């Protein structure tokens, strides 16, 4: 697969972009799902942030009776320890890395690029962000978890050891229970990452207080 195989929705600033947020959707959604939240983030114009919302490839998903849908990887079982299909995670991480490289080629430095994701997308953001060989501006994981956390120590690249990681979850999430998100946060913390944890009284979604916190964090990382 090559970069053009990953189509995306793009929301551009009014001036030439100086920074990019690549935001990955959850299972069965598309890049269109999160694009409408950009105005709600109220990013200052002078930061000139471009938002990219890629569409995951369409694939059969085992837990949904093999139904084809947009998914960053297959989910073979609801067992927490093996929920993410590592082969699919690696393939999608490669596709998203190609998108990052495309932004760098267009003049956005890696340290002005934030990798973000919700649910399945957060799995890819955490997986790729910690292994990516160039310093990113930040990594964000919302209502998500970590693929094979036990492999992080051996596979992590030192480039993003000091990169801020925003981890957030809903207290009433019945799709990805909050303990899974918190376990990812604790794995990051024990590996020395400057990760922050936030939880909100919500289900498997985003809420206004969370969007406000995300906006503050994005502005801090990109200023």
């Amino acid at each position: 697969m090559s970069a053009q195989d990953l189509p995306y929705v793009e929301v551009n600033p009014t001036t030439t972009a100086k920074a990019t947020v690549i935001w990955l959707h959850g299972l069965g959604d598309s890049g269109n799902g999160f694009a409408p939240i950009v105005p709600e983030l109220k990013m200052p114009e002078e930061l000139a942030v471009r938002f990219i919302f890629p569409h995951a490839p369409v694939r059969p998903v085992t837990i949904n009776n093999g139904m084809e849908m947009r998914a960053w990887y297959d989910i073979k079982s609801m067992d927490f320890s093996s929920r993410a299909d590592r082969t699919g995670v690696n393939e999608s991480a490669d596709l998203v890395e190609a998108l990052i490289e495309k932004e760098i080629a267009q003049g956005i430095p890696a340290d002005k690029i934030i990798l973000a994701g919700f649910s399945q997308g957060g799995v890819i953001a955490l997986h790729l962000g910690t292994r990516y060989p160039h310093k990113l501006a930040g990594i964000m994981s919302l209502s998500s978890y970590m693929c094979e956390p036990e492999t992080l120590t051996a596979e992590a690249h030192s480039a993003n050891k000091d990169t801020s990681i925003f981890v957030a979850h809903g207290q009433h999430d019945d799709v990805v229970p909050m303990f899974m998100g918190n376990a990812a946060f604790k794995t990051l913390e024990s590996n020395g990452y400057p990760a922050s944890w936030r939880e909100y009284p919500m289900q498997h979604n985003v809420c206004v207080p969370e969007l406000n916190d995300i906006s503050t964090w994005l502005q801090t990382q990109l200023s």
Side-chain angles (χ1 to χ4, degrees):
M1 281 193 179
S2 56
Q4 64 261 34
D5 290 324
L6 208 52
Y8 54 85
V9 178
E10 198 170 356
V11 181
N12 278 296
T14 51
T15 54
T16 305
K18 295 187 222 164
T20 303
V21 176
I22 297 174
W23 191 313
L24 311 175
H25 63 75
L27 176 67
D29 197 5
S30 74
N32 298 305
F34 275 102
I37 70 159
V38 174
E40 295 177 51
L41 292 170
K42 301 182 176 69
M43 297 299 286
E45 276 189 34
E46 64 269 17
L47 290 182
V49 182
R50 171 175 30 244
F51 283 83
I52 289 178
F53 300 94
H55 305 300
V58 173
R59 70 179 78 226
V61 176
T62 305
I63 58 156
N64 290 343
N65 299 318
M67 188 190 295
E68 292 205 348
M69 60 185 66
R70 291 202 180 277
W72 296 109
Y73 51 85
D74 187 20
I75 300 178
K76 293 189 165 70
S77 82
M78 295 307 283
D79 177 36
F80 297 132
S81 60
S82 59
R83 190 181 278 199
D85 158 44
R86 177 67 191 255
T87 306
V89 168
N90 288 343
E91 287 169 1
S92 286
D94 288 345
L95 290 172
V96 176
E97 185 169 347
L99 268 188
I100 297 175
E101 299 297 335
K102 186 177 169 188
E103 286 302 291
I104 293 170
Q106 289 180 1
I108 307 288
D111 64 3
K112 287 289 181 186
I113 296 174
I114 283 180
L115 189 54
F118 175 83
S119 197
Q120 262 207 349
V123 172
I124 303 301
L126 285 178
H127 187 82
L128 173 57
T130 50
R131 290 161 177 79
Y132 187 64
H134 305 289
K135 168 117 178 109
L136 296 166
I139 301 164
M140 184 167 73
S141 171
L142 309 176
S143 305
S144 189
Y145 56 102
M146 191 179 282
C147 172
E148 298 183 359
E150 68 282 356
T151 64
L152 178 64
T153 309
E155 295 178 5
H157 195 285
S158 58
N160 284 292
K161 252 328 189 18
D162 300 319
T163 299
S164 175
I165 305 182
F166 182 98
V167 187
H169 221 101
Q171 293 162 343
H172 313 300
D173 193 329
D174 56 359
V175 178
V176 178
M178 190 170 77
F179 80 83
M180 291 181 70
N182 193 250
F185 164 70
K186 285 177 172 159
T187 299
L188 292 165
E189 213 178 29
S190 66
N191 278 272
Y193 289 91
S196 60
W197 169 258
R198 300 254 178 35
E199 56 186 74
Y200 305 89
M202 62 177 185
Q203 295 178 318
H204 194 62
N205 57 312
V206 292
C207 61
V208 172
E210 183 183 30
L211 288 176
N212 292 339
D213 289 343
I214 289 169
S215 175
T216 302
W217 179 79
L218 288 175
Q219 291 178 54
T220 302
Q221 305 319 311
L222 296 176
S223 292

